[in-house]
């Protein structure tokens, strides 16, 4: 053992106390669990490498956090005796002095001394009672174990042995505390990430490219991935910030099975047969910090209807078991519920194919048989227990086999869950979807759709005008905003499903099992150190005066005749006031629970601790008190500034060294500019592709290195409808370019040059008009096309060089774009396959779609020309992103796009205060989802619509008002009649006169006589 071994004394004594209290309670209630044992023995022999733990290993890890080989533990209700080697005893000594007395006996090379220690333990067993608890499956071997068994054999006839394996499971190991649950959640997230983000991708690639890969080869590839630290750091299912991949280990699999040969037991192994495109079962399990999780999924390739319906039945059985796993439920009833679902289905004959054991306990042990889920187990589930639910059908006949290997198939779904009080269990592995839409892959349908379809004969009754050409409105500006009622109904139904799914995922992810932060590292009390030794104090402290030590960022204050240092980070502010001949210096300190109207960054570490809020000093030297107050204020400002700079740069990473290409000239793209520009100057340079990254070098020799491992997204944006062609790199962690940090680095070249004549003077003599401009336009098109070709080829070369990193070239879909204001200026936002981007104008916008939890459309109401869109991220601590002033004509396309990429969206008429909303969510995410989650957004928009209807229908007239209005309308109608009569008489008089032709002739004749041919027709009107 290394010197870093440190046993948590508090955890040890708490768990030991829990065990002894359960033991004593069982003795009072009839010895049903411990079988009347007065003592029990846990023996560890020599260290043996094993993928699974036994009860003796599990007890060591549960109590001590480590496995102590060659150690004997003898438990009684009042004490614990330990026999171990001297080196191990050194680590156990600090455990003495707790609630339960501990006696440590040192094992050595002296055989007689060892026998005396073992005899003391055997005497303790005899005096504690006639019955002694043992582990029935004793796996301890080695010299230490043999010596103990020899001494124990002498008293074995005098005592009755009782198997306490079930007792240790129920009283100690089955119910997990908060630390254990957090470790299990991290283990489950790592297992889920391997399944969804690695195995599924590898399997899809094999199937797509029809490669010949054996189950063993695929399993080995998954096995090696456990050592890839970067993979786990970049998982979409975020792991804890302090997640240590060195503590990951396999407990089950990885196992890949297909082609008709299936084994659903935990002992299954991958064989040497090739992966078959049919029913594929994949299972794996990981141990993290000694705690296990397990997951298994079945993937169906081109399944027929019978296979799909059988899988849906299994999914219903699986969900019924998970929902039924509640506190107080007997395990046999849980299994019976699964069987009843099968019997009540359309395929009751599948009951004989259902697994006999549908899971068991999991935690320190891979499989705790005491909690095995079968038809006979009468154990009752408790809050805090963790199980793996493993439902499956074995060797089901396929009556419509796709090929020879598809005549029989098996199905399996496995999840790791935690039992909770009065609510559904938390599913730790819910990040791997198991619905039919996620596990069914169809390739034949795509091939059939690719074949040309026969054209349908036109109905002669149908007119020549297509229905799509008939618009619902005559106004052109209204046409883009027309709502397709069918599409709207389809979207509404799909959004309802997405919202329900988000709600379920939120409840499962943010369970109340892991405290307020739900697995996120909780804040710790900040500690600062001013001086390590007394001789580091400034010499002025001998005068017992207030001293400001700028070098150590400390204020030394005289308190009770002693100089006491206070780090500047503990000071809130300092002020000086004058009263008469005295000056008062008041120093206020930061302390927990002040409630000053801002977030309290000072959590309590010890609730019983006392904190100094302020100190006041009085002096006649008014000028010195003022100087001290100014010094403290300036020191505080400098400390805050340094803290802000440090915080701003804390996510900046120092990349590994770039591995340059040595044996050949690297691929290059020259005459490109970079954004952000180095030193603020726009200077062209060239980009080079090296072994593990990119290097940009400008003409001055300045360099920017970007490693492939730090690249999150790579974009190529052609110069179509743009002035520049772009290769854009979005990074996982910012890097320093000059004196500023940057998370986006862009290489571009301008697509348009100054107009210039390439035809020559000789040709110009014979060409006039638009021919020159036409040639210039043609030349610019050719130049743009060549630029796009060069940049795209270079982007693909980058992708090829970084093929092991798992990202590719993403190109924006301009036809799906829309205008909006993500920062200050109105820009054109464009979706890509994985992101929503704006790459033309800095500051750039890159939003990864997989990181988005939900979208909300604001200011969506009749009469407004624009609306806003807000994206909320799955990481609730990340502030939402706003895209404002989107034209209302883009509302329907935006909704359709959001729906197509499975992002749940809502809409409302008002702008919301998102900072307040996110503070509420992060304070208690579990309560947020328990109260309905994001449904409040949809509810708010519905309420607004109801209010509008009420306001519109609020106008009603009484009978008296109606009578008055009728009288007034009659008066108005009388006036209108007179007016119309006057107009009618005037019209009749006018019609009785000469017609227009005669009047026209007379007017022309009069104009000629008076010389007024150029006058307008106004004269004619006056004459008439």
């Amino acid at each position: 053992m290394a010197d870093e071994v440190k046993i948590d004394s508090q955890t040890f004594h708490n768990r030991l106390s829990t065990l002894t209290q359960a033991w004593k309670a069982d003795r009072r209630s009839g010895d049903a669990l411990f079988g009347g044992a007065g003592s029990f023995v846990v023996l560890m022999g020599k260290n043996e490498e094993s993928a699974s733990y036994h009860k003796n290993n599990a007890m060591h890890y549960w109590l001590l956090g480590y496995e102590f080989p060659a150690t004997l533990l003898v438990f009684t209700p009042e004490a614990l005796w330990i026999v171990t080697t001297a080196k191990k005893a050194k680590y156990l000594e600090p455990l003495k002095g707790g609630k339960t007395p501990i006696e440590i006996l040192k094992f050595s090379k002296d055989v007689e001394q060892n026998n005396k220690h073992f005899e003391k333990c055997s005497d303790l067993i005899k005096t504690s009672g006639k019955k002694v608890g043992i582990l029935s499956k004793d796996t301890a071997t080695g010299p230490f174990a043999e010596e103990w068994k020899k001494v124990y054999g002498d008293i074995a006839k005098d005592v009755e042995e009782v198997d306490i394996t079930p007792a240790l499971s129920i009283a100690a190991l089955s119910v997990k505390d908060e630390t254990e649950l957090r470790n299990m959640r991290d283990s489950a997230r790592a297992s889920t990430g391997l399944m969804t983000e690695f195995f599924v991708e590898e399997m899809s690639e094999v199937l797509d490219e029809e490669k010949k890969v054996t189950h063993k080869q695929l399993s080995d590839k998954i096995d090696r991935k456990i050592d890839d630290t970067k993979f786990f750091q970049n998982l979409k299912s975020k792991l804890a910030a302090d997640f240590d991949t060195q503590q990951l280990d396999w407990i089950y699999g990885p196992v890949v099975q297909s082609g008709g040969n299936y084994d659903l037991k935990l002992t299954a192994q991958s064989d040497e047969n090739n992966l078959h495109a049919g029913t594929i079962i994949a299972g794996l399990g990981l141990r993290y910090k000694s705690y296990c999780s397990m997951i298994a999924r079945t993937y169906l390739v081109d399944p027929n209807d019978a296979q799909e319906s059988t899988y849906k039945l299994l999914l219903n059985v699986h969900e019924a078991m998970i929902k039924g796993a509640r506190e107080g439920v007997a395990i046999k009833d849980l299994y019976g519920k699964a069987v009843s679902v099968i019997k009540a289905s359309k395929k009751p004959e599948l009951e004989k194919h259902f697994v006999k054991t549908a899971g068991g306990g999991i935690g320190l042990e891979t499989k705790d048989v005491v909690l095995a889920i079968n038809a006979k187990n009468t154990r009752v589930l408790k809050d805090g227990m963790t199980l793996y639910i493993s439902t499956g059908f074995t060797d089901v006949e396929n009556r419509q086999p796709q090929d020879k290997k598809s005549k029989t198939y098996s199905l399996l779904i496995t999840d790791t869950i935690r039992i909770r009080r009065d609510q559904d269990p938390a599913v730790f592995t819910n990040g791997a979807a198991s619905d039919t839409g996620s596990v069914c892959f169809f390739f034949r349908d795509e091939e059939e759709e690719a074949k040309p379809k026969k054209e349908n004969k036109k109905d002669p009754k149908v007119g020549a005008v297509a229905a799509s050409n008939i618009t619902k409105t005559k106004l052109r500006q209204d046409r883009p905003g027309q709502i397709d009622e069918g599409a709207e109904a389809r979207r509404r139904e799909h959004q309802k499903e997405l919202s329900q799914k988000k709600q379920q995922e939120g409840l499962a992810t943010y369970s109340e099992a892991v405290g307020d932060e739900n697995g996120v590292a909780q804040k710790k009390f900040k500690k600062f150190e001013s001086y390590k030794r007394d001789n580091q104090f400034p010499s002025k402290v001998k005068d017992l005066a207030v001293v400001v030590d700028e070098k150590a960022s400390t204020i030394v204050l005289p308190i009770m005749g002693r100089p006491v240092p206070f780090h500047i980070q503990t000071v809130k502010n300092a002020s000086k006031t004058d009263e008469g001949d005295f000056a008062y210096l008041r120093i206020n300190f930061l302390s927990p629970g002040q409630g000053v109207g801002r977030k309290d960054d000072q959590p309590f570490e010890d609730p019983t601790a006392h904190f100094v809020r302020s100190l006041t000093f009085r002096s006649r030297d008014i000028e010195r008190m003022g100087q001290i107050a100014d010094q403290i204020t300036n020191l505080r400002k400098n400390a805050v500034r340094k803290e802000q700079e440090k915080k701003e740069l804390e996510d900046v990473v120092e990349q590994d060294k770039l591995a340059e290409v040595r044996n050949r000239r690297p691929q290059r793209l020259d005459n490109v500019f970079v954004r952000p520009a180095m030193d603020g100057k726009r200077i062209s340079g060239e980009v080079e592709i090296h072994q593990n990254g990119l290097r940009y070098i400008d003409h001055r020799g300045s360099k920017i290195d970007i490693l492939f491992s730090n690249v999150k997204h790579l974009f190529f944006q052609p110069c179509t409808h743009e002035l520049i062609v772009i290769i854009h790199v979005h990074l996982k962690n910012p890097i320093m370019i000059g004196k500023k940090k940057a998370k986006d680095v862009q290489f571009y070249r301008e697509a348009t040059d100054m107009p210039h004549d390439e035809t020559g003077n000789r040709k110009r003599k014979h060409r006039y008009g638009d021919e020159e401009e036409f040639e210039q336009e043609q030349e610019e098109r050719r130049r743009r096309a060549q630029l796009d070709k060069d940049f795209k080829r270079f982007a693909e070369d980058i992708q090829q060089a970084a093929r092991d990193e798992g990202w590719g070239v993403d190109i924006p879909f301009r036809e799906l774009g829309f205008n909006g204001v993500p920062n200050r200026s109105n820009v054109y936002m464009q979706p890509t396959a994985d992101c929503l981007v704006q790459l033309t104008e800095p500051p750039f916008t890159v939003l990864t779609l997989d990181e988005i939890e939900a979208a909300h459309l604001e200011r969506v109401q009749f009469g407004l020309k624009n609306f806003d869109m807000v994206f909320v991220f799955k990481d609730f601590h990340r502030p939402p992103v706003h895209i404002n002033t989107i034209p209302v004509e883009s509302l329907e396309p935006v909704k359709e796009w959001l729906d197509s990429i499975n992002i749940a969206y809502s809409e409302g008429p008002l702008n919301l205060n998102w900072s307040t909303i996110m503070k509420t969510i992060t304070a208690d995410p579990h309560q947020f989802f328990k109260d309905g989650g994001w449904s409040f957004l949809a509810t708010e928009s519905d309420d607004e619509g109801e209010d509008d209807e009420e306001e519109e229908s609020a106008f009603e007239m009484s009978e008296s008002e109606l009578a008055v209005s009728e009288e007034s309308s009659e008066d108005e109608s009388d006036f209108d009649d007179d007016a119309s009569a006057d107009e009618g008489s005037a019209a009749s008089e006018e019609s009785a006169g000469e017609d227009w032709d005669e009047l026209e002739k007379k007017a022309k004749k009069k104009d000629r006589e008076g010389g007024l041919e150029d006058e307008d027709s106004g004269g004619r009107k006056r004459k008439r």
Side-chain angles (χ1 to χ4, degrees), residues 394-412:
T394 58
D395 301 326
V396 181
E397 182 186 357
N398 185 7
R399 296 179 180 178
Q400 297 175 331
Q402 293 86 339
D403 50 42
K404 292 180 181 179
K405 293 185 177 181
S406 301
K407 291 181 180 179
T408 60
Y409 63 96
S410 298
L411 303 174
L412 178 67

Side-chain angles (χ1 to χ4, degrees), residues 720-734:
T720 310
H721 305 292
E722 300 288 351
L723 299 177
I724 55 177
V725 58
I726 294 168
I727 291 177
H728 187 98
V729 182
H730 182 67
L731 305 176
K732 296 173 186 174
N733 299 298

